[in-house]
PDB file of all heavy atoms in Angstrom:
ATOM      1  N   ALA A  24     -13.708 -35.331  33.290  1.00 86.00           N
ATOM      2  CA  ALA A  24     -12.611 -34.723  32.621  1.00 86.00           C
ATOM      3  C   ALA A  24     -12.981 -33.356  32.007  1.00 86.00           C
ATOM      4  O   ALA A  24     -12.325 -32.419  31.998  1.00 86.00           O
ATOM      5  CB  ALA A  24     -12.088 -35.648  31.614  1.00 86.00           C
ATOM      6  N   ASP A  25     -14.228 -33.332  31.384  1.00 88.00           N
ATOM      7  CA  ASP A  25     -14.686 -32.119  30.751  1.00 88.00           C
ATOM      8  C   ASP A  25     -14.887 -31.012  31.771  1.00 88.00           C
ATOM      9  O   ASP A  25     -14.606 -29.801  31.558  1.00 88.00           O
ATOM     10  CB  ASP A  25     -16.016 -32.328  30.075  1.00 88.00           C
ATOM     11  CG  ASP A  25     -15.844 -33.163  28.783  1.00 88.00           C
ATOM     12  OD1 ASP A  25     -14.769 -33.239  28.355  1.00 88.00           O
ATOM     13  OD2 ASP A  25     -16.823 -33.640  28.263  1.00 88.00           O
ATOM     14  N   ARG A  26     -15.465 -31.382  32.973  1.00 88.00           N
ATOM     15  CA  ARG A  26     -15.618 -30.306  33.992  1.00 88.00           C
ATOM     16  C   ARG A  26     -14.259 -29.872  34.498  1.00 88.00           C
ATOM     17  O   ARG A  26     -14.126 -28.538  34.757  1.00 88.00           O
ATOM     18  CB  ARG A  26     -16.333 -31.034  35.293  1.00 88.00           C
ATOM     19  CG  ARG A  26     -17.838 -31.028  35.104  1.00 88.00           C
ATOM     20  CD  ARG A  26     -18.526 -31.371  36.412  1.00 88.00           C
ATOM     21  NE  ARG A  26     -18.268 -32.691  36.847  1.00 88.00           N
ATOM     22  CZ  ARG A  26     -19.015 -33.795  36.486  1.00 88.00           C
ATOM     23  NH1 ARG A  26     -20.156 -33.573  35.721  1.00 88.00           N
ATOM     24  NH2 ARG A  26     -18.743 -34.978  36.966  1.00 88.00           N
ATOM     25  N   VAL A  27     -13.369 -30.686  34.707  1.00 86.00           N
ATOM     26  CA  VAL A  27     -11.948 -30.228  35.011  1.00 86.00           C
ATOM     27  C   VAL A  27     -11.364 -29.296  33.938  1.00 86.00           C
ATOM     28  O   VAL A  27     -10.787 -28.231  34.261  1.00 86.00           O
ATOM     29  CB  VAL A  27     -11.027 -31.431  35.155  1.00 86.00           C
ATOM     30  CG1 VAL A  27      -9.480 -30.931  35.423  1.00 86.00           C
ATOM     31  CG2 VAL A  27     -11.401 -32.246  36.400  1.00 86.00           C
ATOM     32  N   ALA A  28     -11.532 -29.541  32.588  1.00 88.00           N
ATOM     33  CA  ALA A  28     -10.996 -28.773  31.583  1.00 88.00           C
ATOM     34  C   ALA A  28     -11.594 -27.374  31.631  1.00 88.00           C
ATOM     35  O   ALA A  28     -10.908 -26.366  31.487  1.00 88.00           O
ATOM     36  CB  ALA A  28     -11.266 -29.449  30.158  1.00 88.00           C
ATOM     37  N   GLY A  29     -13.015 -27.286  31.831  1.00 89.00           N
ATOM     38  CA  GLY A  29     -13.619 -26.000  31.822  1.00 89.00           C
ATOM     39  C   GLY A  29     -13.204 -25.227  33.066  1.00 89.00           C
ATOM     40  O   GLY A  29     -12.991 -23.944  32.994  1.00 89.00           O
ATOM     41  N   ALA A  30     -13.003 -25.840  34.224  1.00 89.00           N
ATOM     42  CA  ALA A  30     -12.630 -25.142  35.387  1.00 89.00           C
ATOM     43  C   ALA A  30     -11.216 -24.576  35.285  1.00 89.00           C
ATOM     44  O   ALA A  30     -10.956 -23.431  35.624  1.00 89.00           O
ATOM     45  CB  ALA A  30     -12.869 -26.016  36.635  1.00 89.00           C
ATOM     46  N   VAL A  31     -10.363 -25.428  34.735  1.00 87.00           N
ATOM     47  CA  VAL A  31      -8.985 -25.002  34.666  1.00 87.00           C
ATOM     48  C   VAL A  31      -8.885 -23.834  33.599  1.00 87.00           C
ATOM     49  O   VAL A  31      -8.134 -22.848  33.831  1.00 87.00           O
ATOM     50  CB  VAL A  31      -8.035 -26.247  34.085  1.00 87.00           C
ATOM     51  CG1 VAL A  31      -6.690 -25.760  33.710  1.00 87.00           C
ATOM     52  CG2 VAL A  31      -8.017 -27.181  35.237  1.00 87.00           C
ATOM     53  N   PHE A  32      -9.615 -23.929  32.480  1.00 90.00           N
ATOM     54  CA  PHE A  32      -9.642 -22.844  31.587  1.00 90.00           C
ATOM     55  C   PHE A  32     -10.120 -21.488  32.165  1.00 90.00           C
ATOM     56  O   PHE A  32      -9.504 -20.489  32.052  1.00 90.00           O
ATOM     57  CB  PHE A  32     -10.561 -23.184  30.297  1.00 90.00           C
ATOM     58  CG  PHE A  32     -10.520 -22.143  29.262  1.00 90.00           C
ATOM     59  CD1 PHE A  32      -9.622 -22.082  28.284  1.00 90.00           C
ATOM     60  CD2 PHE A  32     -11.539 -21.056  29.267  1.00 90.00           C
ATOM     61  CE1 PHE A  32      -9.570 -21.030  27.339  1.00 90.00           C
ATOM     62  CE2 PHE A  32     -11.491 -19.997  28.396  1.00 90.00           C
ATOM     63  CZ  PHE A  32     -10.551 -20.085  27.299  1.00 90.00           C
ATOM     64  N   GLY A  33     -11.157 -21.557  32.996  1.00 91.00           N
ATOM     65  CA  GLY A  33     -11.730 -20.359  33.552  1.00 91.00           C
ATOM     66  C   GLY A  33     -10.814 -19.767  34.602  1.00 91.00           C
ATOM     67  O   GLY A  33     -10.538 -18.581  34.619  1.00 91.00           O
ATOM     68  N   LEU A  34     -10.256 -20.672  35.488  1.00 88.00           N
ATOM     69  CA  LEU A  34      -9.300 -20.142  36.481  1.00 88.00           C
ATOM     70  C   LEU A  34      -8.066 -19.611  35.865  1.00 88.00           C
ATOM     71  O   LEU A  34      -7.510 -18.536  36.255  1.00 88.00           O
ATOM     72  CB  LEU A  34      -8.985 -21.206  37.479  1.00 88.00           C
ATOM     73  CG  LEU A  34     -10.133 -21.725  38.328  1.00 88.00           C
ATOM     74  CD1 LEU A  34      -9.838 -23.051  39.001  1.00 88.00           C
ATOM     75  CD2 LEU A  34     -10.489 -20.671  39.329  1.00 88.00           C
ATOM     76  N   LEU A  35      -7.587 -20.266  34.859  1.00 86.00           N
ATOM     77  CA  LEU A  35      -6.260 -19.839  34.132  1.00 86.00           C
ATOM     78  C   LEU A  35      -6.578 -18.494  33.455  1.00 86.00           C
ATOM     79  O   LEU A  35      -5.571 -17.685  33.534  1.00 86.00           O
ATOM     80  CB  LEU A  35      -5.936 -20.841  33.142  1.00 86.00           C
ATOM     81  CG  LEU A  35      -4.429 -20.929  32.673  1.00 86.00           C
ATOM     82  CD1 LEU A  35      -3.543 -21.121  33.791  1.00 86.00           C
ATOM     83  CD2 LEU A  35      -4.270 -22.040  31.746  1.00 86.00           C
ATOM     84  N   SER A  36      -7.628 -18.357  32.824  1.00 90.00           N
ATOM     85  CA  SER A  36      -7.906 -17.113  32.091  1.00 90.00           C
ATOM     86  C   SER A  36      -8.007 -15.921  33.199  1.00 90.00           C
ATOM     87  O   SER A  36      -7.484 -14.851  32.863  1.00 90.00           O
ATOM     88  CB  SER A  36      -9.333 -17.225  31.368  1.00 90.00           C
ATOM     89  OG  SER A  36      -9.288 -18.162  30.448  1.00 90.00           O
ATOM     90  N   LEU A  37      -8.632 -16.207  34.201  1.00 92.00           N
ATOM     91  CA  LEU A  37      -8.775 -15.041  35.331  1.00 92.00           C
ATOM     92  C   LEU A  37      -7.395 -14.672  35.871  1.00 92.00           C
ATOM     93  O   LEU A  37      -7.013 -13.548  35.858  1.00 92.00           O
ATOM     94  CB  LEU A  37      -9.674 -15.561  36.385  1.00 92.00           C
ATOM     95  CG  LEU A  37      -9.785 -14.610  37.679  1.00 92.00           C
ATOM     96  CD1 LEU A  37     -10.314 -13.290  37.167  1.00 92.00           C
ATOM     97  CD2 LEU A  37     -10.555 -15.154  38.703  1.00 92.00           C
ATOM     98  N   VAL A  38      -6.609 -15.716  36.098  1.00 86.00           N
ATOM     99  CA  VAL A  38      -5.245 -15.360  36.782  1.00 86.00           C
ATOM    100  C   VAL A  38      -4.290 -14.777  35.677  1.00 86.00           C
ATOM    101  O   VAL A  38      -3.669 -13.783  36.074  1.00 86.00           O
ATOM    102  CB  VAL A  38      -4.719 -16.701  37.230  1.00 86.00           C
ATOM    103  CG1 VAL A  38      -3.146 -16.519  37.763  1.00 86.00           C
ATOM    104  CG2 VAL A  38      -5.428 -17.306  38.469  1.00 86.00           C
ATOM    105  N   THR A  39      -4.411 -15.216  34.542  1.00 88.00           N
ATOM    106  CA  THR A  39      -3.598 -14.672  33.410  1.00 88.00           C
ATOM    107  C   THR A  39      -3.982 -13.131  33.230  1.00 88.00           C
ATOM    108  O   THR A  39      -3.012 -12.315  32.981  1.00 88.00           O
ATOM    109  CB  THR A  39      -3.708 -15.473  32.157  1.00 88.00           C
ATOM    110  OG1 THR A  39      -3.305 -16.774  32.354  1.00 88.00           O
ATOM    111  CG2 THR A  39      -2.906 -14.830  31.061  1.00 88.00           C
ATOM    112  N   ALA A  40      -5.222 -12.917  33.090  1.00 91.00           N
ATOM    113  CA  ALA A  40      -5.656 -11.527  32.917  1.00 91.00           C
ATOM    114  C   ALA A  40      -5.111 -10.567  34.015  1.00 91.00           C
ATOM    115  O   ALA A  40      -4.678  -9.475  33.762  1.00 91.00           O
ATOM    116  CB  ALA A  40      -7.169 -11.424  32.903  1.00 91.00           C
ATOM    117  N   VAL A  41      -5.264 -11.109  35.230  1.00 92.00           N
ATOM    118  CA  VAL A  41      -4.699 -10.195  36.349  1.00 92.00           C
ATOM    119  C   VAL A  41      -3.276 -10.030  36.261  1.00 92.00           C
ATOM    120  O   VAL A  41      -2.740  -8.815  36.489  1.00 92.00           O
ATOM    121  CB  VAL A  41      -5.163 -10.917  37.683  1.00 92.00           C
ATOM    122  CG1 VAL A  41      -4.447 -10.134  38.842  1.00 92.00           C
ATOM    123  CG2 VAL A  41      -6.608 -10.928  37.938  1.00 92.00           C
ATOM    124  N   MET A  42      -2.482 -11.081  35.939  1.00 88.00           N
ATOM    125  CA  MET A  42      -1.047 -11.026  35.862  1.00 88.00           C
ATOM    126  C   MET A  42      -0.659 -10.056  34.693  1.00 88.00           C
ATOM    127  O   MET A  42       0.359  -9.380  34.779  1.00 88.00           O
ATOM    128  CB  MET A  42      -0.474 -12.400  35.681  1.00 88.00           C
ATOM    129  CG  MET A  42      -0.606 -13.274  36.809  1.00 88.00           C
ATOM    130  SD  MET A  42       0.281 -12.770  38.277  1.00 88.00           S
ATOM    131  CE  MET A  42       1.892 -13.047  37.756  1.00 88.00           C
ATOM    132  N   VAL A  43      -1.367 -10.089  33.565  1.00 91.00           N
ATOM    133  CA  VAL A  43      -0.991  -9.264  32.460  1.00 91.00           C
ATOM    134  C   VAL A  43      -1.170  -7.798  32.759  1.00 91.00           C
ATOM    135  O   VAL A  43      -0.321  -6.846  32.681  1.00 91.00           O
ATOM    136  CB  VAL A  43      -1.950  -9.609  31.238  1.00 91.00           C
ATOM    137  CG1 VAL A  43      -1.824  -8.470  30.114  1.00 91.00           C
ATOM    138  CG2 VAL A  43      -1.422 -10.883  30.602  1.00 91.00           C
ATOM    139  N   ALA A  44      -2.333  -7.521  33.520  1.00 93.00           N
ATOM    140  CA  ALA A  44      -2.520  -6.125  33.911  1.00 93.00           C
ATOM    141  C   ALA A  44      -1.453  -5.595  34.866  1.00 93.00           C
ATOM    142  O   ALA A  44      -0.931  -4.552  34.762  1.00 93.00           O
ATOM    143  CB  ALA A  44      -3.947  -6.061  34.494  1.00 93.00           C
ATOM    144  N   ALA A  45      -1.189  -6.503  35.891  1.00 92.00           N
ATOM    145  CA  ALA A  45      -0.239  -6.158  36.835  1.00 92.00           C
ATOM    146  C   ALA A  45       1.294  -5.943  36.295  1.00 92.00           C
ATOM    147  O   ALA A  45       1.967  -5.068  36.528  1.00 92.00           O
ATOM    148  CB  ALA A  45      -0.148  -7.221  37.928  1.00 92.00           C
ATOM    149  N   GLY A  46       1.536  -6.835  35.268  1.00 89.00           N
ATOM    150  CA  GLY A  46       2.857  -6.736  34.673  1.00 89.00           C
ATOM    151  C   GLY A  46       3.002  -5.505  33.847  1.00 89.00           C
ATOM    152  O   GLY A  46       4.099  -4.876  33.874  1.00 89.00           O
ATOM    153  N   MET A  47       1.935  -5.066  33.067  1.00 92.00           N
ATOM    154  CA  MET A  47       2.004  -3.833  32.392  1.00 92.00           C
ATOM    155  C   MET A  47       2.144  -2.656  33.171  1.00 92.00           C
ATOM    156  O   MET A  47       2.979  -1.683  32.896  1.00 92.00           O
ATOM    157  CB  MET A  47       0.716  -3.636  31.457  1.00 92.00           C
ATOM    158  CG  MET A  47       0.587  -4.764  30.401  1.00 92.00           C
ATOM    159  SD  MET A  47      -0.849  -4.708  29.451  1.00 92.00           S
ATOM    160  CE  MET A  47      -0.494  -3.176  28.459  1.00 92.00           C
ATOM    161  N   LEU A  48       1.467  -2.692  34.419  1.00 93.00           N
ATOM    162  CA  LEU A  48       1.605  -1.580  35.346  1.00 93.00           C
ATOM    163  C   LEU A  48       3.073  -1.535  35.964  1.00 93.00           C
ATOM    164  O   LEU A  48       3.611  -0.454  36.211  1.00 93.00           O
ATOM    165  CB  LEU A  48       0.607  -1.596  36.483  1.00 93.00           C
ATOM    166  CG  LEU A  48      -0.759  -1.292  36.060  1.00 93.00           C
ATOM    167  CD1 LEU A  48      -1.754  -1.603  37.194  1.00 93.00           C
ATOM    168  CD2 LEU A  48      -0.962   0.109  35.632  1.00 93.00           C
ATOM    169  N   ALA A  49       3.614  -2.665  36.205  1.00 92.00           N
ATOM    170  CA  ALA A  49       4.950  -2.738  36.902  1.00 92.00           C
ATOM    171  C   ALA A  49       6.050  -2.866  35.967  1.00 92.00           C
ATOM    172  O   ALA A  49       7.177  -3.196  36.348  1.00 92.00           O
ATOM    173  CB  ALA A  49       4.927  -3.941  37.906  1.00 92.00           C
ATOM    174  N   THR A  50       5.898  -2.594  34.668  1.00 92.00           N
ATOM    175  CA  THR A  50       6.933  -2.867  33.676  1.00 92.00           C
ATOM    176  C   THR A  50       8.225  -2.098  33.973  1.00 92.00           C
ATOM    177  O   THR A  50       9.259  -2.698  33.981  1.00 92.00           O
ATOM    178  CB  THR A  50       6.476  -2.432  32.283  1.00 92.00           C
ATOM    179  OG1 THR A  50       5.459  -3.323  31.842  1.00 92.00           O
ATOM    180  CG2 THR A  50       7.599  -2.488  31.206  1.00 92.00           C
ATOM    181  N   PRO A  51       8.273  -0.830  34.382  1.00 93.00           N
ATOM    182  CA  PRO A  51       9.594  -0.166  34.697  1.00 93.00           C
ATOM    183  C   PRO A  51      10.290  -0.859  35.838  1.00 93.00           C
ATOM    184  O   PRO A  51      11.576  -0.979  35.660  1.00 93.00           O
ATOM    185  CB  PRO A  51       9.100   1.312  35.159  1.00 93.00           C
ATOM    186  CG  PRO A  51       7.786   1.426  34.534  1.00 93.00           C
ATOM    187  CD  PRO A  51       7.095   0.184  34.538  1.00 93.00           C
ATOM    188  N   LEU A  52       9.564  -1.327  36.802  1.00 91.00           N
ATOM    189  CA  LEU A  52      10.351  -2.033  37.898  1.00 91.00           C
ATOM    190  C   LEU A  52      10.920  -3.374  37.360  1.00 91.00           C
ATOM    191  O   LEU A  52      11.952  -3.696  37.792  1.00 91.00           O
ATOM    192  CB  LEU A  52       9.274  -2.331  39.079  1.00 91.00           C
ATOM    193  CG  LEU A  52       9.895  -3.183  40.265  1.00 91.00           C
ATOM    194  CD1 LEU A  52      11.058  -2.454  40.861  1.00 91.00           C
ATOM    195  CD2 LEU A  52       8.678  -3.466  41.324  1.00 91.00           C
TER     196      LEU A  52
END
């Protein structure tokens, strides 16, 4: 369970960071 929690946090952080950057660039659209 702890391994799953750590992996989900890491993957979620990476995906979220990419989406935030993309969203800020694509804001006018």
Side-chain angles (χ1 to χ4, degrees):
D25 289 343
R26 280 194 290 270
V27 170
V31 169
F32 181 87
L34 294 167
L35 201 60
S36 299
L37 175 62
V38 173
T39 300
V41 172
M42 294 293 287
V43 166
M47 294 178 72
L48 289 173
T50 293
L52 175 62

